[in-house]
Amino acid sequence: MSGADAKSLIRDDDVKAAIRRRALDLGFSDVGFARAQGLPEWKADLDAYLADGRHGTMGWMAETADRRADPQVLWPDAKSVIVLGTNYAPSGDPLKLTHLPERGNISVYARNRDYHDLLKRRLKALGRWMAETWGGELKVFVDTAPVMEKPLAAQGGLGWRGRHTNIVSRRFGSWLFLAEVFTTLEIEPDAPEADHCGSCRACVEACPTRALDGEGRIDPRRCISYLTIESKSPIPEDLRPGLGNRLYGCDDCMAACPWNKFAPPTTEPDFLPRVELTAPRLADLVQLDEAGFREVFTASPVKRAGYERLMAGVLIAAANGGQTDLLAEAERRRDDPSPLIQDAARWAVSVLGGQGPGEL
């Protein structure tokens, strides 16, 4: 039976049910369906975000704004979007390491292999099966194209936008990786999920650098994830104490969400933490050269930040935790060829030498 014949014989509900079953069989945790069409408020919110300069050094957000605001601009032939969530909930307290000043804290999602690789393989498998079954054209995306992932996920019923701006699921809390299949097939959309945050402000109050305004808006220029991953500039000195020992990303706002109590811990091997990335000693990390960095963080998302950004973070963490045994290393790094590392080392020496306060 050809793809065209199959499409003509299968009812819309059957198509949705079959896609959902196939996606779950491939390892996705949740599936929803949305129209490939942006809502006016998406563009208005994005325009305001960019006009305020909240994108910081992420110039690509401004460059791709038109395509990001509406799937029809990104791909005019798209009719439907299959939104997919993959659970990566940790089994223990995701913030435990933030209270161990001699250790470095890496965001839960980055403690093993890069999720992009696994999800892209699964998306391609789902896409091939869809094309063979019903025909049509499709494109797959995993956080690497100008796609409004969170609004689409909300429209497709995976969850709602929490005050921390991330998707919150009644089944998986805040711990969902998002991915999408854009298709030329017309599939009836699912109903959006209602907002269940109520009056809760736990995520807002948990943010160490006060990056959330409580109205569902974030200023990435104050967000630890932006500062330790995306930013190309030195971290502002007034924000450095708030980083504590966070070296790559931050889970505080998501970990604070009460809906996480319903999230089952992930069993995906690629998402289970590697020993060397679970609680790395700052004293070991500060000794790394670039070759050592590449070896320790092979296949890890941490490589995205790069050696210079990570080393600057290690020095800031050492100062925040009062790790005076690393003072000599910080003094040595003041002559590092990297201006980013030099700047962090100078500040760390100042704090550890008693000229400024550091705190975890």
Side-chain angles (χ1 to χ4, degrees):
M1 181 182 293
S2 70
D5 290 338
K7 182 182 176 184
S8 66
L9 293 175
I10 299 178
R11 297 194 312 273
D12 186 62
D13 287 346
D14 292 333
V15 172
K16 290 177 67 172
I19 292 174
R20 182 172 278 113
R21 283 195 304 269
R22 187 69 172 187
L24 295 176
D25 287 345
L26 287 169
F28 292 103
S29 306
D30 205 359
V31 187
F33 299 84
R35 288 190 176 90
Q37 183 177 2
L39 300 179
E41 54 263 36
W42 297 4
K43 185 178 190 313
D45 289 346
L46 179 59
D47 287 346
Y49 177 92
L50 296 171
D52 289 345
R54 282 180 278 156
H55 57 304
T57 62
M58 297 183 290
W60 43 268
M61 293 197 72
E63 295 165 5
T64 61
D66 289 342
R67 285 177 287 161
R68 186 176 301 276
D70 191 343
Q72 285 296 297
V73 178
L74 179 63
W75 188 27
D77 293 336
K79 297 293 189 296
S80 306
V81 179
I82 302 159
V83 289
L84 302 132
T86 302
N87 174 38
Y88 72 99
S91 60
D93 178 4
L95 302 183
K96 178 180 178 180
L97 288 176
T98 62
H99 305 293
L100 301 178
E102 74 281 3
R103 305 281 177 167
N105 186 72
I106 294 170
S107 184
V108 167
Y109 85 87
R111 293 177 186 175
N112 201 326
R113 302 185 66 84
D114 193 329
Y115 70 92
H116 293 87
D117 299 333
L118 175 66
L119 298 193
K120 183 61 74 70
R121 289 196 300 271
R122 290 177 176 173
L123 278 177
K124 289 182 177 179
L126 179 62
R128 284 193 298 269
W129 173 81
M130 287 177 56
E132 292 167 358
T133 306
W134 296 293
E137 298 179 58
L138 55 86
K139 298 179 185 292
V140 300
F141 301 103
V142 189
D143 191 29
T144 54
V147 175
M148 296 282 266
E149 291 192 312
K150 298 171 188 177
L152 281 169
Q155 281 297 109
L158 260 61
W160 67 95
R161 296 284 297 278
R163 285 193 171 88
H164 52 26
T165 76
N166 295 298
I167 289 294
V168 183
S169 163
R170 290 197 290 180
R171 293 176 57 202
F172 303 104
S174 298
W175 311 106
L176 279 180
F177 291 132
L178 300 177
E180 301 80 34
V181 177
F182 281 39
T183 176
T184 56
L185 299 176
E186 291 200 53
I187 304 174
E188 182 68 21
D190 289 334
E193 178 66 78
D195 187 317
H196 298 287
C197 285
S199 60
C200 178
R201 292 175 55 88
C203 60
V204 178
E205 295 167 2
C207 179
T209 51
R210 300 296 179 258
L212 302 169
D213 70 354
E215 302 298 328
R217 292 183 295 266
I218 186 171
D219 188 342
R221 294 167 300 183
R222 298 187 64 86
C223 174
I224 293 174
S225 288
Y226 167 80
L227 294 171
T228 58
I229 302 172
E230 299 287 355
S231 176
K232 310 304 181 191
S233 306
I235 296 172
E237 291 192 10
D238 64 314
L239 296 180
R240 292 179 188 183
L243 269 67
N245 64 346
R246 298 166 185 83
L247 304 180
Y248 184 92
C250 179
D251 298 311
D252 291 50
C253 66
M254 298 203 304
C257 181
W259 285 95
N260 289 331
K261 64 185 177 184
F262 299 109
T266 183
T267 57
E268 173 55 53
D270 279 8
F271 301 158
L272 300 178
R274 286 163 44 191
V275 173
E276 63 271 31
L277 300 187
T278 302
R281 296 174 65 246
L282 295 177
D284 294 333
L285 292 175
V286 80
Q287 299 294 330
L288 291 177
D289 57 15
E290 293 196 50
F293 167 80
R294 289 192 296 270
E295 181 179 353
V296 170
F297 295 101
T298 183
S300 163
V302 177
K303 289 182 68 177
R304 177 182 174 190
Y307 172 73
E308 294 181 20
R309 170 60 67 196
L310 180 80
M311 190 55 61
V314 169
L315 292 165
I316 291 172
N320 285 335
Q323 303 299 292
T324 54
D325 57 319
L326 300 183
L327 176 58
E329 188 63 32
E331 290 175 334
R332 183 179 72 84
R333 291 283 184 168
R334 285 187 298 182
D335 296 323
D336 194 277
S338 164
L340 199 63
I341 296 175
Q342 282 184 26
D343 174 78
R346 174 195 56 76
W347 187 80
V349 168
S350 175
V351 172
L352 293 172
Q355 300 175 43
E359 60 184 40
L360 186 61

